[in-house]
Amino acid sequence: MEPITLQAGLGFGLVSVGLLALLLVVVTLWQSFEIVDAYEKKTLTVFGEYRKLLEPGINLIPPFVSRTYPFDMRTQTLDVPRQEAITRDNSPVTADAVVYIKVMDAKKAFLEVDDYKKAVSNLAQTTLRAVLGDMELDDTLNKRQEINAKIRKELDEPTDEWGIRVESVEVREVNPSKDVQQAMEQQTSAERRRRAMILEAQGERRSAVEQAEGDKQSNIIRAQGEKQSQILEAQGDAISTVLRARSAESMGERAIIERGMETLEEIGKGESTTFVLPQELTSLVGRYGKALSGSDVQQMEGLDGKEFDADTRKMLGLDDIDEILGQIEESAEMNVEELEKEAEAVKSGDAGASIRSADEVIQEMDDEEAAEVEKEQ
């Protein structure tokens, strides 16, 4: 019985040793391989000593005595917590930012700094406060790109020693204190009211200038109309005078004698018995009687139409009637289309150099006001 028990115990011991050996081999093989992802690198230390960087893929390392530290080689985002700062003009502000970094040298990031993410974040916080403290409040609110550039420049030098590159810095918010915000809102409201008043005043002035210019153009058009009306009226009077002269020429001396006889008839109706007749009227009566009785007492011209002498025709302008009528008719033919174009030009402000646009008048008034202000200063 004892030999059988001893053999059984020996066999069980051998199996256990074999299992332990197999397990040791598996663990050793597992410890001898290190898998590195495509987006990272790992630093290898053996007995605490830096050996090398492990590239992406499967790497052989000494088992049991090796340790690896991974480094993400992609661009990483670090949030900079909200910071309080005092600007150069003693105004409190709060700001936060985002920093984009990338590991360029994993060996430096492993050997030169304990925790590169924490180090960059703390450095960005202090730099943000320092940059805001060197600027005035208005600049911190308006010059966001300048703040980003200054922070990045301040971070570049120390992070280069750590094997880290700062790719970008973005300040998200810069907020002044509540009291300052209320004062800024009041200032903005007052500025908007001032601009509204200025725009209203400019609008009223422009309206007044436009109205004055419109009145001026209307007066010009009205004056031109009156001028044309007077010209037409004068032309009508001239035509009437010429026509009366032509009628007188056609009637001749007969009309004059008959008019004289009508005058004698009116004189005869009076109560007086004594009449004083001028020689010319006596001559007319004699010539009229000769025509009626056929007497030979005095040889006189008949009462047929008699031509005016040369001086009378020249004085009446009878020889130039046709020419005068032609000139009157030519001038009377008004070019309506040209008058309409001229009126439109006056309305649009292009009738002449003396008519200026509203913008030119307003600019001249602004220049005069600026000159007066400079003179007062």
Side-chain angles (χ1 to χ4, degrees):
M1 295 292 294
E2 292 181 0
I4 296 175
T5 303
L6 181 61
Q7 291 178 359
L10 182 59
F12 180 76
L14 291 174
V15 171
S16 299
V17 171
L19 291 175
L20 289 175
L22 180 60
L23 180 61
L24 179 60
V25 170
V26 171
V27 172
T28 302
L29 292 175
W30 178 260
Q31 291 290 326
S32 300
F33 293 97
E34 184 70 24
I35 299 176
V36 182
D37 292 330
Y39 57 83
E40 66 180 5
K41 290 183 180 181
K42 291 184 179 181
T43 58
L44 174 65
T45 61
V46 179
F47 292 108
E49 181 184 0
Y50 174 80
R51 289 296 179 86
K52 64 177 181 179
L53 289 176
L54 301 180
E55 299 296 331
I58 299 177
N59 297 269
L60 291 175
I61 61 175
F64 305 112
V65 294
S66 301
R67 294 183 64 183
T68 59
Y69 301 88
F71 287 89
D72 194 334
M73 305 303 291
R74 296 173 296 183
T75 299
Q76 304 173 57
T77 303
L78 297 180
D79 287 331
V80 179
R82 184 175 296 275
Q83 303 295 309
E84 294 183 359
I86 303 297
T87 62
R88 190 167 59 185
D89 52 354
N90 299 323
S91 178
V93 295
T94 58
D96 60 351
V98 178
V99 181
Y100 298 91
I101 63 173
K102 187 174 184 179
V103 178
M104 303 302 296
D105 190 340
K107 180 179 178 181
K108 286 185 177 181
F110 176 69
L111 298 176
E112 301 295 336
V113 63
D114 178 21
D115 185 349
Y116 69 90
K117 290 185 178 180
K118 184 177 180 181
V120 173
S121 178
N122 291 334
L123 182 61
Q125 295 176 30
T126 57
T127 304
L128 176 60
R129 290 196 298 267
V131 170
L132 293 178
D134 291 338
M135 303 177 68
E136 295 184 354
L137 177 62
D138 292 340
D139 293 338
T140 61
L141 299 177
N142 300 327
K143 299 180 179 180
R144 190 69 57 84
Q145 295 298 328
E146 183 177 342
I147 297 175
N148 297 338
K150 287 183 177 181
I151 296 175
R152 181 179 179 181
K153 183 178 179 181
E154 293 294 330
L155 294 177
D156 277 341
E157 184 176 354
T159 55
D160 285 342
E161 297 179 358
W162 302 336
I164 307 299
R165 184 179 69 186
V166 178
E167 294 188 337
S168 178
V169 178
E170 296 294 336
V171 176
R172 288 186 295 194
E173 290 184 357
V174 178
N175 296 322
S177 62
K178 293 183 178 180
D179 295 337
V180 176
Q181 288 182 1
Q182 292 178 356
M184 293 175 62
E185 290 176 357
Q186 293 176 358
Q187 180 182 1
T188 303
S189 178
E191 179 67 18
R192 289 179 178 177
R193 288 196 299 269
R194 184 183 70 84
R195 292 181 180 178
M197 294 175 63
I198 292 175
L199 291 176
E200 183 178 359
Q202 290 179 347
E204 292 178 355
R205 182 174 63 177
R206 180 181 293 273
S207 176
V209 171
E210 293 284 354
Q211 184 176 359
E213 186 176 359
D215 294 340
K216 178 180 179 180
Q217 295 173 355
S218 177
N219 292 333
I220 292 175
I221 296 175
R222 188 181 301 109
Q224 289 183 344
E226 293 177 355
K227 177 181 177 181
Q228 295 295 335
S229 177
Q230 293 175 0
I231 292 174
L232 292 177
E233 184 177 356
Q235 291 174 348
D237 293 340
I239 293 174
S240 177
T241 301
V242 172
L243 292 178
R244 285 196 300 269
R246 176 170 290 183
S247 176
E249 180 187 23
S250 63
M251 292 182 65
E253 193 176 85
R254 178 184 297 275
I256 297 175
I257 295 175
E258 290 180 355
R259 181 62 178 169
M261 297 307 298
E262 291 177 358
T263 302
L264 289 178
E265 182 178 356
E266 295 295 331
I267 293 174
K269 293 180 180 180
E271 297 180 356
S272 177
T273 57
T274 304
F275 304 98
V276 179
L277 300 178
Q279 182 179 359
E280 291 80 1
L281 186 58
T282 305
S283 177
L284 287 175
V285 172
R287 293 171 62 185
Y288 187 67
K290 173 65 172 61
L292 293 177
S293 60
S295 173
D296 295 332
V297 175
Q298 185 178 358
Q299 296 295 327
M300 301 179 64
E301 298 177 357
L303 293 180
D304 294 334
K306 183 180 179 181
E307 297 291 335
F308 292 110
D309 56 16
D311 293 338
T312 303
R313 294 181 63 87
K314 183 177 181 180
M315 179 183 65
L316 294 177
L318 297 179
D319 295 333
D320 300 329
I321 288 178
D322 294 335
E323 182 179 357
I324 293 173
L325 288 177
Q327 293 177 355
I328 292 173
E329 291 176 357
E330 182 179 356
S331 62
E333 294 178 356
M334 298 174 56
N335 193 334
V336 179
E337 183 177 357
E338 292 182 357
L339 289 177
E340 291 179 352
K341 290 182 179 179
E342 184 177 359
E344 291 295 332
V346 172
K347 290 180 181 179
S348 61
D350 298 333
S354 60
I355 300 177
R356 297 175 297 174
S357 64
D359 293 333
E360 293 178 353
V361 177
I362 291 175
Q363 183 63 38
E364 182 180 354
M365 295 172 67
D366 291 338
D367 295 340
E368 293 177 356
E369 292 178 0
E372 292 178 359
V373 171
E374 293 180 356
K375 187 182 294 182
E376 291 177 358
Q377 293 178 351

